[in-house]
Coordinates of all heavy atoms in Angstrom, one line a residue:
M1 N 202.9 221.4 159.5 CA 201.7 221.4 158.7 C 202.0 221.7 157.2 O 202.7 222.6 156.9 CB 200.7 222.4 159.2 CG 199.4 222.4 158.5 SD 198.1 223.6 159.1 CE 197.7 222.8 160.6
K2 N 201.5 220.9 156.3 CA 201.7 221.1 154.9 C 200.8 222.1 154.4 O 199.7 222.3 154.8 CB 201.5 219.8 154.1 CG 202.4 218.6 154.6 CD 203.7 218.8 154.0 CE 204.6 217.6 154.4 NZ 205.9 217.7 153.9
T3 N 201.3 222.9 153.4 CA 200.5 224.0 152.8 C 200.2 223.7 151.4 O 201.1 223.3 150.6 CB 201.3 225.3 152.9 OG1 201.6 225.6 154.3 CG2 200.5 226.5 152.3
I4 N 199.0 223.9 151.0 CA 198.5 223.6 149.6 C 197.9 224.9 149.1 O 197.1 225.6 149.7 CB 197.4 222.5 149.6 CG1 198.0 221.2 150.2 CG2 196.9 222.3 148.2 CD1 197.1 220.1 150.3
L5 N 198.4 225.3 147.9 CA 197.9 226.5 147.2 C 196.8 226.0 146.2 O 197.1 225.2 145.3 CB 199.0 227.2 146.5 CG 198.6 228.3 145.5 CD1 197.8 229.4 146.3 CD2 199.8 229.0 144.8
V6 N 195.6 226.4 146.4 CA 194.5 226.1 145.5 C 194.2 227.3 144.6 O 193.9 228.4 145.0 CB 193.2 225.7 146.3 CG1 192.0 225.4 145.3 CG2 193.5 224.6 147.2
V7 N 194.4 227.1 143.3 CA 194.2 228.1 142.3 C 193.0 227.7 141.4 O 193.1 226.8 140.5 CB 195.4 228.4 141.4 CG1 195.2 229.6 140.5 CG2 196.7 228.5 142.3
D8 N 191.9 228.4 141.6 CA 190.7 228.1 140.8 C 189.8 229.4 140.8 O 189.7 230.0 141.8 CB 189.9 226.9 141.4 CG 188.9 226.3 140.4 OD1 188.0 227.1 139.9 OD2 189.0 225.1 140.1
D9 N 189.3 229.7 139.6 CA 188.5 231.0 139.5 C 187.1 230.8 140.1 O 186.3 231.8 140.3 CB 188.4 231.5 138.1 CG 187.8 230.5 137.1 OD1 188.0 229.3 137.3 OD2 187.2 231.0 136.1
D10 N 186.7 229.6 140.4 CA 185.3 229.3 141.0 C 185.5 229.3 142.5 O 186.0 228.3 143.1 CB 184.8 228.0 140.4 CG 183.4 227.7 140.8 OD1 183.0 228.0 142.0 OD2 182.7 227.1 140.0
A11 N 184.9 230.3 143.1 CA 185.0 230.4 144.6 C 184.4 229.2 145.3 O 184.9 228.8 146.4 CB 184.4 231.7 145.1
A12 N 183.3 228.7 144.8 CA 182.7 227.5 145.4 C 183.6 226.3 145.4 O 183.6 225.6 146.4 CB 181.3 227.2 144.8
I13 N 184.3 226.1 144.3 CA 185.2 224.9 144.3 C 186.3 225.2 145.2 O 186.7 224.2 145.9 CB 185.7 224.7 142.8 CG1 184.5 224.2 142.0 CG2 186.9 223.8 142.8 CD1 184.8 224.1 140.5
R14 N 186.9 226.4 145.2 CA 188.0 226.6 146.2 C 187.5 226.4 147.6 O 188.3 225.8 148.4 CB 188.5 228.1 146.1 CG 189.3 228.4 144.8 CD 190.1 229.7 144.9 NE 189.3 230.8 145.5 CZ 188.6 231.7 144.8 NH1 188.5 231.6 143.5 NH2 188.0 232.7 145.4
E15 N 186.3 226.8 148.0 CA 185.8 226.6 149.3 C 185.6 225.1 149.7 O 186.0 224.7 150.7 CB 184.5 227.3 149.5 CG 183.9 227.2 150.9 CD 182.6 227.9 151.1 OE1 182.1 228.6 150.2 OE2 182.1 227.8 152.3
M16 N 185.1 224.4 148.7 CA 184.9 222.9 148.9 C 186.3 222.2 149.1 O 186.4 221.5 150.1 CB 184.2 222.3 147.7 CG 184.1 220.8 147.8 SD 183.5 220.0 146.3 CE 184.9 220.3 145.2
I17 N 187.2 222.6 148.3 CA 188.6 222.0 148.5 C 189.2 222.4 149.8 O 189.8 221.6 150.5 CB 189.5 222.4 147.3 CG1 188.9 221.7 146.0 CG2 190.9 221.9 147.5 CD1 189.6 222.2 144.7
R18 N 189.1 223.7 150.1 CA 189.7 224.2 151.3 C 189.1 223.5 152.6 O 189.8 223.1 153.4 CB 189.5 225.7 151.5 CG 190.0 226.3 152.8 CD 189.7 227.8 153.0 NE 188.3 228.1 152.8 CZ 187.3 227.9 153.6 NH1 187.5 227.3 154.8 NH2 186.1 228.3 153.3
M19 N 187.8 223.4 152.6 CA 187.2 222.7 153.7 C 187.6 221.2 153.9 O 187.9 220.8 155.0 CB 185.6 222.8 153.6 CG 185.1 224.2 153.8 SD 183.3 224.4 153.4 CE 182.6 223.1 154.5
A20 N 187.7 220.6 152.7 CA 188.2 219.1 152.8 C 189.6 219.1 153.3 O 190.0 218.2 154.1 CB 188.0 218.5 151.4
L21 N 190.5 219.9 152.8 CA 191.9 219.9 153.1 C 192.1 220.3 154.6 O 192.9 219.7 155.3 CB 192.7 220.8 152.2 CG 192.8 220.3 150.7 CD1 193.5 221.3 149.9 CD2 193.5 218.9 150.7
E22 N 191.4 221.4 155.0 CA 191.6 221.9 156.4 C 191.1 220.8 157.4 O 191.7 220.7 158.5 CB 190.9 223.2 156.6 CG 191.6 224.3 155.9 CD 191.0 225.7 156.1 OE1 189.8 225.7 156.5 OE2 191.6 226.7 155.8
S23 N 190.1 220.1 157.0 CA 189.6 219.0 157.9 C 190.6 217.9 158.1 O 190.4 217.0 158.9 CB 188.2 218.5 157.5 OG 188.3 217.8 156.3
N24 N 191.5 217.8 157.2 CA 192.6 216.8 157.2 C 193.9 217.5 157.6 O 195.0 216.9 157.2 CB 192.7 216.1 155.9 CG 191.5 215.1 155.7 OD1 191.5 214.1 156.3 ND2 190.5 215.5 154.9
D25 N 193.9 218.6 158.3 CA 195.0 219.2 158.8 C 196.1 219.8 157.8 O 197.3 219.8 158.1 CB 195.8 218.3 159.8 CG 194.8 218.0 161.0 OD1 194.1 218.8 161.4 OD2 194.9 216.8 161.5
Y26 N 195.6 220.3 156.7 CA 196.4 221.0 155.8 C 196.1 222.5 155.9 O 195.0 222.9 156.1 CB 196.1 220.6 154.3 CG 196.6 219.2 154.0 CD1 195.7 218.2 154.1 CD2 197.9 218.9 153.7 CE1 196.1 216.9 153.8 CE2 198.3 217.6 153.4 CZ 197.4 216.6 153.5 OH 197.8 215.3 153.2
A27 N 197.2 223.3 155.7 CA 197.0 224.8 155.6 C 196.7 225.0 154.1 O 197.3 224.5 153.3 CB 198.3 225.5 156.0
V28 N 195.7 225.9 153.9 CA 195.3 226.2 152.5 C 195.4 227.7 152.2 O 195.0 228.5 152.9 CB 193.8 225.7 152.3 CG1 193.4 226.0 150.9 CG2 193.7 224.2 152.6
L29 N 196.1 227.9 151.0 CA 196.1 229.3 150.4 C 195.2 229.2 149.2 O 195.2 228.2 148.5 CB 197.5 229.6 150.0 CG 198.6 229.5 151.1 CD1 200.0 229.7 150.5 CD2 198.3 230.6 152.2
E30 N 194.5 230.3 149.0 CA 193.5 230.3 147.8 C 193.9 231.5 146.9 O 194.3 232.6 147.3 CB 192.1 230.5 148.3 CG 191.6 229.4 149.1 CD 190.1 229.6 149.5 OE1 189.3 230.0 148.7 OE2 189.8 229.4 150.7
A31 N 193.7 231.2 145.6 CA 193.9 232.2 144.6 C 192.8 232.0 143.5 O 192.6 230.9 143.1 CB 195.3 232.2 144.0
G32 N 192.2 233.1 143.0 CA 191.3 233.0 141.9 C 191.9 233.1 140.5 O 191.2 232.9 139.5
D33 N 193.1 233.5 140.4 CA 193.8 233.6 139.2 C 195.3 233.5 139.4 O 195.8 233.4 140.5 CB 193.5 234.9 138.5 CG 193.8 236.1 139.3 OD1 194.7 236.1 140.1 OD2 193.1 237.1 139.1
T34 N 196.1 233.5 138.3 CA 197.5 233.3 138.5 C 198.2 234.5 139.1 O 199.3 234.4 139.7 CB 198.2 233.0 137.1 OG1 197.9 234.0 136.2 CG2 197.6 231.6 136.6
I35 N 197.6 235.7 139.0 CA 198.2 236.9 139.6 C 198.2 236.7 141.1 O 199.2 237.0 141.8 CB 197.5 238.2 139.2 CG1 197.7 238.4 137.7 CG2 197.9 239.4 140.0 CD1 196.8 239.5 137.0
A36 N 197.1 236.3 141.6 CA 197.0 236.1 143.1 C 197.8 234.9 143.5 O 198.4 234.9 144.6 CB 195.5 235.8 143.5
A37 N 197.9 233.9 142.7 CA 198.8 232.8 143.0 C 200.3 233.2 143.1 O 201.0 232.8 144.0 CB 198.6 231.7 141.9
R38 N 200.7 234.1 142.2 CA 202.1 234.6 142.2 C 202.4 235.3 143.5 O 203.4 235.2 144.1 CB 202.3 235.5 141.0 CG 202.7 234.7 139.8 CD 203.2 235.7 138.7 NE 203.2 235.0 137.4 CZ 202.2 235.1 136.5 NH1 201.2 235.9 136.8 NH2 202.3 234.5 135.4
R39 N 201.4 236.1 144.0 CA 201.5 236.8 145.3 C 201.8 235.8 146.4 O 202.7 236.0 147.3 CB 200.3 237.6 145.6 CG 200.3 238.9 144.8 CD 199.2 239.9 145.3 NE 198.5 240.3 144.1 CZ 197.2 240.1 143.9 NH1 196.4 239.6 144.8 NH2 196.7 240.5 142.8
H40 N 201.1 234.7 146.4 CA 201.3 233.7 147.4 C 202.7 233.1 147.3 O 203.4 232.8 148.2 CB 200.3 232.5 147.4 CG 198.9 232.9 147.9 ND1 198.7 233.3 149.2 CD2 197.7 233.0 147.3 CE1 197.5 233.6 149.4 NE2 196.8 233.4 148.3
L41 N 203.1 232.8 146.0 CA 204.4 232.2 145.8 C 205.6 233.2 146.2 O 206.6 232.7 146.5 CB 204.5 231.8 144.3 CG 203.6 230.7 143.9 CD1 203.7 230.5 142.4 CD2 203.9 229.4 144.6
D42 N 205.3 234.5 146.1 CA 206.3 235.5 146.5 C 206.6 235.4 148.0 O 207.7 235.8 148.4 CB 205.9 236.9 146.1 CG 206.0 237.1 144.6 OD1 206.6 236.3 143.9 OD2 205.3 238.1 144.1
T43 N 205.7 234.9 148.8 CA 205.9 234.9 150.2 C 206.4 233.5 150.7 O 206.6 233.3 151.9 CB 204.5 235.2 151.0 OG1 203.6 234.2 150.6 CG2 204.0 236.6 150.6
G44 N 206.5 232.5 149.8 CA 207.0 231.2 150.2 C 206.4 230.1 149.3 O 205.3 230.3 148.7
E45 N 207.1 229.0 149.2 CA 206.6 227.9 148.4 C 205.6 227.0 149.1 O 205.9 226.6 150.2 CB 207.8 227.1 147.9 CG 208.5 227.7 146.8 CD 207.7 227.9 145.5 OE1 207.1 227.0 145.0 OE2 207.8 229.0 145.0
P46 N 204.5 226.8 148.5 CA 203.6 225.8 149.1 C 204.2 224.4 148.9 O 205.1 224.2 148.1 CB 202.3 225.9 148.4 CG 202.7 226.5 147.0 CD 203.9 227.3 147.3
D47 N 203.6 223.4 149.6 CA 204.1 222.0 149.4 C 203.6 221.4 148.1 O 204.2 220.5 147.6 CB 203.7 221.2 150.6 CG 204.5 221.6 151.9 OD1 205.7 221.4 151.9 OD2 203.8 222.3 152.8
I48 N 202.4 221.9 147.7 CA 201.8 221.4 146.5 C 200.8 222.5 145.9 O 200.3 223.3 146.7 CB 201.1 220.1 146.7 CG1 200.7 219.4 145.4 CG2 199.9 220.3 147.6 CD1 200.2 218.0 145.5
I49 N 200.6 222.5 144.6 CA 199.7 223.4 144.0 C 198.6 222.6 143.3 O 198.9 221.8 142.5 CB 200.4 224.4 143.0 CG1 201.5 225.2 143.7 CG2 199.4 225.3 142.3 CD1 202.4 225.9 142.7
L50 N 197.3 222.9 143.6 CA 196.2 222.4 142.9 C 195.7 223.5 142.0 O 195.3 224.6 142.4 CB 195.1 222.0 143.9 CG 195.4 220.9 144.9 CD1 194.2 220.7 145.8 CD2 195.9 219.7 144.3
L51 N 195.8 223.3 140.7 CA 195.7 224.3 139.7 C 194.7 224.0 138.6 O 194.8 223.0 137.9 CB 197.1 224.5 139.1 CG 197.3 225.6 138.0 CD1 197.0 227.0 138.5 CD2 198.7 225.5 137.4
D52 N 193.7 224.9 138.5 CA 192.7 224.8 137.4 C 193.3 225.1 136.1 O 194.2 226.0 136.0 CB 191.5 225.8 137.7 CG 190.4 225.6 136.7 OD1 190.3 224.6 136.0 OD2 189.5 226.5 136.7
W53 N 193.0 224.4 135.0 CA 193.5 224.7 133.7 C 193.0 226.0 133.2 O 193.7 226.8 132.6 CB 193.1 223.5 132.8 CG 193.7 223.6 131.4 CD1 193.6 224.7 130.5 CD2 194.3 222.6 130.7 NE1 194.2 224.4 129.3 CE2 194.6 223.1 129.4 CE3 194.7 221.3 131.0 CZ2 195.3 222.4 128.4 CZ3 195.3 220.6 130.0 CH2 195.6 221.1 128.8
M54 N 191.6 226.2 133.3 CA 191.0 227.3 132.6 C 190.8 228.5 133.6 O 189.9 228.4 134.5 CB 189.6 226.9 132.0 CG 189.8 225.9 130.9 SD 188.3 225.3 130.2 CE 187.7 224.1 131.5
L55 N 191.7 229.4 133.6 CA 191.7 230.6 134.5 C 191.6 231.9 133.7 O 192.0 231.9 132.5 CB 192.9 230.6 135.3 CG 193.1 229.5 136.3 CD1 194.5 229.4 136.8 CD2 192.1 229.6 137.5
P56 N 191.0 232.9 134.3 CA 191.1 234.2 133.6 C 192.5 234.7 133.4 O 193.3 234.5 134.3 CB 190.2 235.1 134.5 CG 190.3 234.5 135.8 CD 190.4 233.0 135.6
G57 N 192.8 235.4 132.3 CA 194.1 235.9 132.1 C 195.0 234.7 131.6 O 194.8 234.2 130.5
Q58 N 196.0 234.3 132.4 CA 196.9 233.3 132.1 C 196.3 231.9 132.4 O 195.8 231.7 133.5 CB 198.2 233.5 132.8 CG 199.3 232.5 132.4 CD 200.6 232.7 133.2 OE1 200.5 233.0 134.3 NE2 201.7 232.4 132.5
S59 N 196.3 230.9 131.6 CA 195.8 229.6 131.8 C 196.7 228.9 132.8 O 197.8 229.2 133.0 CB 195.7 228.8 130.6 OG 197.0 228.4 130.1
G60 N 196.1 227.9 133.5 CA 196.9 227.0 134.4 C 197.9 226.3 133.6 O 199.0 226.1 134.2
Y61 N 197.7 225.9 132.4 CA 198.7 225.3 131.5 C 199.9 226.2 131.4 O 201.0 225.7 131.6 CB 198.0 225.0 130.2 CG 199.0 224.5 129.1 CD1 199.3 223.1 129.1 CD2 199.5 225.3 128.2 CE1 200.2 222.6 128.1 CE2 200.4 224.9 127.2 CZ 200.7 223.5 127.2 OH 201.6 223.0 126.3
E62 N 199.7 227.4 131.0 CA 200.8 228.4 130.8 C 201.5 228.7 132.2 O 202.7 228.8 132.2 CB 200.3 229.7 130.2 CG 200.0 229.5 128.7 CD 201.2 229.1 127.9 OE1 202.4 229.5 128.2 OE2 201.1 228.2 127.0
F63 N 200.7 228.8 133.2 CA 201.3 229.1 134.5 C 202.2 227.9 135.0 O 203.3 228.2 135.5 CB 200.1 229.3 135.6 CG 200.6 229.7 136.9 CD1 201.3 230.9 137.1 CD2 200.3 229.0 138.0 CE1 201.7 231.4 138.3 CE2 200.7 229.4 139.3 CZ 201.4 230.6 139.4
T64 N 201.8 226.7 134.7 CA 202.6 225.5 135.0 C 204.0 225.6 134.3 O 205.0 225.4 134.8 CB 201.9 224.2 134.7 OG1 200.7 224.2 135.4 CG2 202.8 223.0 135.0
R65 N 203.9 226.0 133.0 CA 205.1 226.1 132.2 C 206.1 227.2 132.8 O 207.3 227.0 132.9 CB 204.8 226.4 130.8 CG 204.1 225.3 130.0 CD 203.8 225.6 128.6 NE 205.1 225.8 127.9 CZ 205.5 225.0 127.0 NH1 204.8 224.0 126.6 NH2 206.7 225.2 126.4
T66 N 205.4 228.3 133.3 CA 206.2 229.3 133.9 C 206.8 228.8 135.2 O 208.0 229.1 135.5 CB 205.3 230.6 134.2 OG1 204.7 231.0 133.0 CG2 206.1 231.7 134.9
L67 N 206.1 228.1 136.0 CA 206.6 227.6 137.3 C 207.8 226.7 137.0 O 208.8 226.7 137.7 CB 205.5 226.8 138.0 CG 204.4 227.6 138.6 CD1 203.3 226.6 139.2 CD2 204.9 228.5 139.7
R68 N 207.7 225.9 136.0 CA 208.8 224.9 135.7 C 210.0 225.6 135.2 O 211.1 225.0 135.3 CB 208.3 223.8 134.7 CG 207.2 222.9 135.3 CD 207.7 222.2 136.6 NE 206.7 221.4 137.1 CZ 206.3 221.4 138.4 NH1 206.8 222.2 139.2 NH2 205.4 220.5 138.8
S69 N 209.9 226.8 134.7 CA 211.1 227.5 134.1 C 211.9 228.2 135.2 O 213.0 228.7 134.9 CB 210.6 228.5 133.1 OG 209.9 229.6 133.6
K70 N 211.3 228.3 136.4 CA 212.0 229.0 137.5 C 212.6 228.0 138.5 O 211.9 227.1 139.0 CB 211.0 229.9 138.2 CG 210.5 231.0 137.3 CD 209.6 231.9 138.0 CE 209.1 233.0 137.0 NZ 208.2 233.9 137.7
P71 N 213.9 228.3 138.9 CA 214.5 227.4 139.9 C 213.8 227.3 141.2 O 213.8 226.2 141.9 CB 215.9 227.9 140.1 CG 216.1 228.8 138.9 CD 214.8 229.3 138.4
T72 N 213.1 228.4 141.6 CA 212.5 228.4 143.0 C 211.2 227.6 143.0 O 210.7 227.2 144.1 CB 212.2 229.8 143.4 OG1 211.4 230.5 142.4 CG2 213.5 230.6 143.6
S73 N 210.6 227.3 141.8 CA 209.3 226.6 141.8 C 209.3 225.4 140.9 O 208.2 224.8 140.8 CB 208.2 227.6 141.4 OG 208.4 228.1 140.1
N74 N 210.4 225.1 140.3 CA 210.3 224.0 139.4 C 210.2 222.6 140.0 O 209.9 221.6 139.3 CB 211.6 224.0 138.4 CG 212.9 223.7 139.1 OD1 212.9 223.4 140.3 ND2 213.9 223.7 138.4
S75 N 210.3 222.5 141.3 CA 210.1 221.2 141.9 C 208.8 221.1 142.8 O 208.5 220.0 143.3 CB 211.3 220.8 142.8 OG 211.4 221.8 143.9
T76 N 208.1 222.2 142.8 CA 206.8 222.2 143.6 C 205.8 221.3 142.8 O 205.6 221.6 141.6 CB 206.3 223.6 143.7 OG1 207.2 224.4 144.4 CG2 205.0 223.6 144.6
P77 N 205.3 220.3 143.4 CA 204.3 219.4 142.7 C 203.1 220.3 142.3 O 202.6 221.1 143.1 CB 203.9 218.4 143.7 CG 205.0 218.4 144.7 CD 205.5 219.8 144.7
V78 N 202.6 220.0 141.1 CA 201.4 220.7 140.5 C 200.4 219.6 140.1 O 200.8 218.7 139.3 CB 201.8 221.6 139.3 CG1 200.5 222.1 138.7 CG2 202.7 222.7 139.7
I79 N 199.2 219.7 140.6 CA 198.1 218.8 140.1 C 197.1 219.7 139.4 O 196.6 220.6 140.0 CB 197.5 218.0 141.3 CG1 198.5 217.1 141.9 CG2 196.3 217.2 140.8 CD1 198.0 216.4 143.1
M80 N 196.9 219.4 138.1 CA 195.9 220.1 137.4 C 194.5 219.6 137.7 O 194.2 218.4 137.8 CB 196.1 219.9 135.9 CG 197.4 220.5 135.4 SD 197.6 222.3 135.4 CE 196.5 222.7 134.1
L81 N 193.6 220.6 137.9 CA 192.1 220.3 138.1 C 191.4 220.9 137.0 O 191.4 222.1 136.8 CB 191.7 220.9 139.4 CG 192.4 220.6 140.7 CD1 191.9 221.5 141.9 CD2 192.3 219.2 141.0
T82 N 190.7 220.1 136.2 CA 190.0 220.7 135.0 C 189.0 219.7 134.4 O 189.0 218.5 134.6 CB 191.0 221.1 134.0 OG1 190.3 221.7 132.9 CG2 191.8 219.9 133.4
A83 N 188.0 220.4 133.7 CA 187.0 219.6 133.0 C 187.5 219.1 131.7 O 186.9 218.3 131.1 CB 185.8 220.5 132.8
R84 N 188.7 219.6 131.3 CA 189.3 219.1 130.1 C 189.9 217.7 130.3 O 190.8 217.6 131.1 CB 190.4 220.0 129.6 CG 189.9 221.4 129.2 CD 191.1 222.3 128.9 NE 190.6 223.4 128.1 CZ 191.2 223.9 127.1 NH1 192.4 223.4 126.7 NH2 190.7 224.9 126.4
D85 N 189.3 216.7 129.7 CA 189.7 215.3 130.1 C 190.0 214.4 128.9 O 190.0 213.2 129.1 CB 188.7 214.7 131.0 CG 187.4 214.5 130.4 OD1 187.1 215.0 129.3 OD2 186.5 213.9 131.1
T86 N 190.3 215.0 127.7 CA 190.7 214.1 126.6 C 192.1 213.6 126.9 O 192.9 214.3 127.6 CB 190.6 214.8 125.3 OG1 191.6 215.9 125.2 CG2 189.2 215.4 125.0
E87 N 192.5 212.6 126.2 CA 193.8 212.0 126.3 C 194.9 213.0 125.9 O 195.9 213.2 126.6 CB 193.9 210.7 125.5 CG 195.2 209.9 125.8 CD 195.1 209.3 127.2 OE1 194.0 209.0 127.7 OE2 196.2 209.1 127.8
E88 N 194.6 213.8 124.9 CA 195.5 214.8 124.4 C 195.7 215.9 125.4 O 196.9 216.4 125.6 CB 195.0 215.4 123.0 CG 195.0 214.4 121.9 CD 193.8 213.5 121.9 OE1 192.7 213.9 122.5 OE2 193.8 212.5 121.2
E89 N 194.7 216.3 126.0 CA 194.8 217.4 127.0 C 195.5 216.9 128.3 O 196.3 217.6 128.9 CB 193.4 217.9 127.4 CG 192.8 218.7 126.2 CD 191.3 218.9 126.4 OE1 190.6 218.1 126.9 OE2 190.9 220.0 125.9
K90 N 195.3 215.7 128.7 CA 196.1 215.1 129.8 C 197.5 215.1 129.5 O 198.4 215.5 130.3 CB 195.5 213.7 130.2 CG 194.2 213.7 130.8 CD 193.7 212.3 131.0 CE 192.3 212.3 131.6 NZ 191.8 211.0 131.9
I91 N 197.9 214.6 128.3 CA 199.3 214.6 127.9 C 199.9 216.0 127.8 O 201.0 216.2 128.3 CB 199.4 213.9 126.5 CG1 199.1 212.4 126.7 CG2 200.8 214.1 125.9 CD1 198.9 211.7 125.4
A92 N 199.1 217.0 127.3 CA 199.6 218.4 127.3 C 199.9 218.9 128.7 O 200.9 219.6 128.9 CB 198.6 219.2 126.5
A93 N 199.0 218.6 129.6 CA 199.2 219.1 131.0 C 200.5 218.5 131.6 O 201.3 219.2 132.2 CB 198.0 218.7 131.9
L94 N 200.7 217.2 131.4 CA 201.9 216.5 131.9 C 203.1 217.0 131.2 O 204.2 217.2 131.8 CB 201.7 215.0 131.7 CG 200.6 214.4 132.6 CD1 200.4 212.9 132.2 CD2 200.8 214.6 134.1
E95 N 203.0 217.3 129.9 CA 204.2 217.8 129.2 C 204.5 219.2 129.6 O 205.7 219.7 129.5 CB 204.0 217.7 127.7 CG 204.0 216.3 127.1 CD 203.8 216.2 125.6 OE1 203.2 217.2 125.0 OE2 204.0 215.1 125.1
A96 N 203.5 220.0 130.0 CA 203.7 221.4 130.5 C 204.4 221.3 131.9 O 205.0 222.4 132.3 CB 202.4 222.1 130.6
G97 N 204.4 220.2 132.5 CA 205.1 220.1 133.8 C 204.2 219.7 135.0 O 204.7 219.6 136.1
A98 N 202.9 219.5 134.7 CA 202.1 219.0 135.8 C 202.5 217.6 136.3 O 202.9 216.8 135.4 CB 200.6 219.0 135.4
D99 N 202.3 217.3 137.5 CA 202.7 216.0 138.1 C 201.6 215.0 138.0 O 201.8 213.8 138.0 CB 203.2 216.2 139.5 CG 204.5 217.0 139.6 OD1 205.5 216.4 139.3 OD2 204.4 218.2 139.9
D100 N 200.3 215.6 138.0 CA 199.2 214.7 137.9 C 198.0 215.5 137.4 O 198.1 216.7 137.3 CB 198.9 214.0 139.2 CG 198.2 212.7 139.0 OD1 197.7 212.4 137.9 OD2 198.2 211.9 140.0
Y101 N 196.9 214.9 137.2 CA 195.7 215.5 136.6 C 194.5 214.9 137.2 O 194.4 213.7 137.3 CB 195.8 215.1 135.1 CG 194.9 215.7 134.2 CD1 195.3 216.8 133.4 CD2 193.6 215.3 134.0 CE1 194.5 217.4 132.5 CE2 192.7 215.9 133.2 CZ 193.2 217.0 132.4 OH 192.3 217.6 131.5
I102 N 193.6 215.7 137.7 CA 192.3 215.3 138.2 C 191.2 215.9 137.4 O 191.1 217.2 137.3 CB 192.1 215.7 139.7 CG1 193.2 215.0 140.5 CG2 190.8 215.3 140.2 CD1 193.2 215.4 142.0
S103 N 190.3 215.1 136.9 CA 189.2 215.6 136.0 C 188.0 216.1 136.9 O 187.7 215.4 137.9 CB 188.7 214.5 135.1 OG 189.7 214.1 134.2
K104 N 187.5 217.2 136.5 CA 186.2 217.7 137.2 C 185.1 217.1 136.4 O 185.2 216.9 135.2 CB 186.1 219.2 137.1 CG 187.1 220.0 137.9 CD 186.9 221.5 137.7 CE 187.9 222.3 138.4 NZ 187.7 223.7 138.2
P105 N 184.0 216.8 137.0 CA 183.7 217.0 138.4 C 184.4 216.0 139.3 O 184.6 214.8 138.8 CB 182.2 217.0 138.6 CG 181.8 216.1 137.4 CD 182.8 216.3 136.3
F106 N 184.7 216.3 140.5 CA 185.3 215.3 141.4 C 184.6 215.5 142.8 O 183.9 216.5 143.0 CB 186.8 215.5 141.6 CG 187.2 216.9 141.9 CD1 187.2 217.3 143.2 CD2 187.5 217.8 140.9 CE1 187.6 218.6 143.6 CE2 187.9 219.1 141.3 CZ 187.9 219.4 142.6
S107 N 184.7 214.5 143.6 CA 184.1 214.6 145.0 C 185.2 214.3 146.0 O 186.2 213.7 145.7 CB 182.9 213.7 145.1 OG 183.3 212.4 144.9

Protein backbone atom coordinates (compact mmCIF):
# COMPACT_ATOMS: atom_id res chain seq x y z
CA MET A 1 0.00 0.00 0.00
CA LYS A 2 1.36 3.42 -0.97
CA THR A 3 1.57 6.08 1.74
CA ILE A 4 0.77 9.74 1.14
CA LEU A 5 1.61 12.52 3.60
CA VAL A 6 -0.94 15.35 3.41
CA VAL A 7 0.32 18.61 4.93
CA ASP A 8 -2.33 21.34 5.15
CA ASP A 9 -3.36 23.59 8.03
CA ASP A 10 -7.05 23.29 7.08
CA ALA A 11 -8.42 20.19 8.80
CA ALA A 12 -11.45 20.03 6.47
CA ILE A 13 -9.21 19.90 3.40
CA ARG A 14 -7.03 17.22 4.99
CA GLU A 15 -10.12 15.16 5.78
CA MET A 16 -11.51 15.51 2.24
CA ILE A 17 -8.18 14.44 0.73
CA ARG A 18 -7.77 11.59 3.23
CA MET A 19 -11.24 10.21 2.48
CA ALA A 20 -10.64 10.34 -1.28
CA LEU A 21 -7.24 8.68 -1.01
CA GLU A 22 -8.28 5.99 1.47
CA SER A 23 -11.23 5.07 -0.73
CA ASN A 24 -8.63 4.37 -3.43
CA ASP A 25 -6.51 2.16 -1.15
CA TYR A 26 -3.82 4.63 -0.09
CA ALA A 27 -2.52 4.95 3.45
CA VAL A 28 -2.69 8.59 4.54
CA LEU A 29 -0.63 10.48 7.09
CA GLU A 30 -1.83 13.96 8.08
CA ALA A 31 -0.01 17.03 9.35
CA GLY A 32 -1.28 20.56 10.02
CA ASP A 33 2.17 22.14 9.78
CA THR A 34 5.75 21.35 8.89
CA ILE A 35 6.66 20.41 12.48
CA ALA A 36 4.10 17.59 12.45
CA ALA A 37 5.19 16.67 8.91
CA ARG A 38 8.80 16.29 10.09
CA ARG A 39 7.63 13.91 12.83
CA HIS A 40 6.07 11.69 10.17
CA LEU A 41 9.22 11.89 8.06
CA ASP A 42 11.32 10.84 11.07
CA THR A 43 9.43 7.52 11.16
CA GLY A 44 9.79 6.80 7.44
CA GLU A 45 9.45 8.26 4.00
CA PRO A 46 6.01 8.47 2.43
CA ASP A 47 5.67 7.64 -1.24
CA ILE A 48 4.51 11.19 -1.99
CA ILE A 49 3.83 14.45 -0.14
CA LEU A 50 0.84 16.69 -0.85
CA LEU A 51 1.91 20.03 0.59
CA ASP A 52 0.07 23.30 1.08
CA TRP A 53 2.13 26.39 0.26
CA MET A 54 0.70 28.62 3.01
CA LEU A 55 1.28 26.98 6.38
CA PRO A 56 1.76 28.41 9.87
CA GLY A 57 5.41 28.74 10.82
CA GLN A 58 7.44 27.49 7.88
CA SER A 59 5.81 27.73 4.44
CA GLY A 60 5.40 24.74 2.19
CA TYR A 61 7.73 26.47 -0.25
CA GLU A 62 10.54 26.62 2.34
CA PHE A 63 9.77 23.11 3.56
CA THR A 64 10.18 21.80 0.02
CA ARG A 65 13.57 23.49 -0.24
CA THR A 66 14.55 21.82 3.06
CA LEU A 67 13.37 18.41 1.84
CA ARG A 68 15.37 18.74 -1.35
CA SER A 69 18.55 19.57 0.59
CA LYS A 70 18.50 16.26 2.50
CA PRO A 71 19.61 12.98 0.93
CA THR A 72 16.86 11.03 2.73
CA SER A 73 14.02 13.09 1.27
CA ASN A 74 15.36 14.71 -1.88
CA SER A 75 13.70 12.16 -4.16
CA THR A 76 10.28 12.00 -2.46
CA PRO A 77 7.75 13.50 -4.90
CA VAL A 78 6.13 16.72 -3.66
CA ILE A 79 2.93 18.16 -5.08
CA MET A 80 2.11 21.68 -3.93
CA LEU A 81 -1.56 22.40 -3.13
CA THR A 82 -2.32 26.09 -2.98
CA ALA A 83 -4.55 29.00 -3.91
CA ARG A 84 -1.46 30.79 -5.24
CA ASP A 85 -1.80 30.24 -8.94
CA THR A 86 0.07 32.91 -10.84
CA GLU A 87 2.61 31.78 -13.38
CA GLU A 88 5.43 33.22 -11.24
CA GLU A 89 4.28 31.30 -8.16
CA LYS A 90 4.02 28.05 -10.09
CA ILE A 91 7.56 28.55 -11.38
CA ALA A 92 8.77 29.37 -7.85
CA ALA A 93 7.23 26.17 -6.47
CA LEU A 94 8.85 24.08 -9.18
CA GLU A 95 12.20 25.81 -8.71
CA ALA A 96 11.98 25.09 -4.96
CA GLY A 97 11.79 21.41 -5.84
CA ALA A 98 8.09 20.62 -6.14
CA ASP A 99 7.33 18.01 -8.76
CA ASP A 100 3.91 19.39 -9.62
CA TYR A 101 1.37 21.99 -8.60
CA ILE A 102 -2.39 21.77 -8.01
CA SER A 103 -4.37 24.98 -7.62
CA LYS A 104 -7.09 25.30 -4.99
CA PRO A 105 -9.96 25.01 -5.07
CA PHE A 106 -9.97 21.51 -6.48
CA SER A 107 -12.41 18.62 -6.41
